[in-house]
Amino acid sequence: MKRKSILMALSFAGLATATLSAVAQSVYTGEGHLLLTPSELVWKDAPAVAPGAKIAVIEGPLDKAVPFTFRLALPANAKIAPHVHPAFERVTVLSGTFYFARGDTYEPSKTQALGEGSVAVMPPGTPMFGYTKEATVIQLHGVGPWGIKYPNQADDPRQQ
């Protein structure tokens, strides 16, 4: 009897882990709760954002007209050139400081330092840029599709 209980518990744990991984990549429907600890996030390279940037999608998919939530880990001295997004974007700084400004020309002197707990909301199609001095983690959410477009193609880090 104990063996059967142990096998059932292990099977449930495996199913829960597989489901959690799947949920993190799909739309949260409001059924039950989505509970994740930082160690459960799956980080991948985010070459469209900046060299060395990492992304962890919590809720998505990012290319559909559904709610999304993800985190970006930006290394020290990351530069994000002027770009636009196709949907409203809401950013919360979780750690570090993100220097951010609105505009289509990269001008670091025009940025505002957004420290831990700071929030920024940007409308679709509004040019923006930013940078970091230290490793910084931001969380973004909104309703997709999410994307990033650099008006000046030479600024796109995927082209460099």
Side-chain angles (χ1 to χ4, degrees):
M1 186 67 164
K2 284 185 181 182
R3 182 175 180 200
K4 185 176 180 182
S5 296
I6 291 170
L7 287 174
M8 285 178 62
L10 290 173
S11 294
F12 179 77
L15 178 61
T17 300
T19 301
L20 190 57
S21 296
V23 168
Q25 300 302 317
S26 64
V27 178
Y28 175 63
T29 62
E31 294 180 26
H33 297 330
L34 173 61
L35 305 171
L36 294 170
T37 62
S39 66
E40 293 171 305
L41 296 176
V42 178
W43 292 93
K44 298 181 178 179
D45 290 338
V49 177
K54 301 278 186 187
I55 186 171
V57 176
I58 296 168
E59 169 185 36
L62 302 180
D63 63 347
K64 303 285 186 221
V66 296
F68 67 82
T69 305
F70 64 91
R71 290 185 182 175
L72 284 175
L74 303 167
N77 303 310
K79 173 187 170 187
I80 304 174
H83 63 280
V84 296
H85 300 290
F88 273 94
E89 183 177 69
R90 294 154 180 92
V91 176
T92 302
V93 179
L94 300 180
S95 65
T97 303
F98 187 57
Y99 297 83
F100 178 78
R102 178 181 176 179
D104 55 8
T105 303
Y106 184 79
E107 298 180 63
S109 64
K110 292 189 175 184
T111 62
Q112 178 177 343
L114 300 175
E116 188 174 312
S118 297
V119 175
V121 179
M122 293 77 64
T126 303
M128 64 192 85
F129 61 91
Y131 71 94
T132 64
K133 293 181 182 179
E134 61 186 321
T136 300
V137 177
I138 58 177
Q139 182 163 299
L140 299 87
H141 71 278
V143 176
W146 185 87
I148 187 167
K149 179 181 178 186
Y150 296 89
N152 181 353
Q153 286 297 307
D155 288 338
D156 189 332
R158 294 167 290 195
Q159 305 300 319
Q160 299 169 8

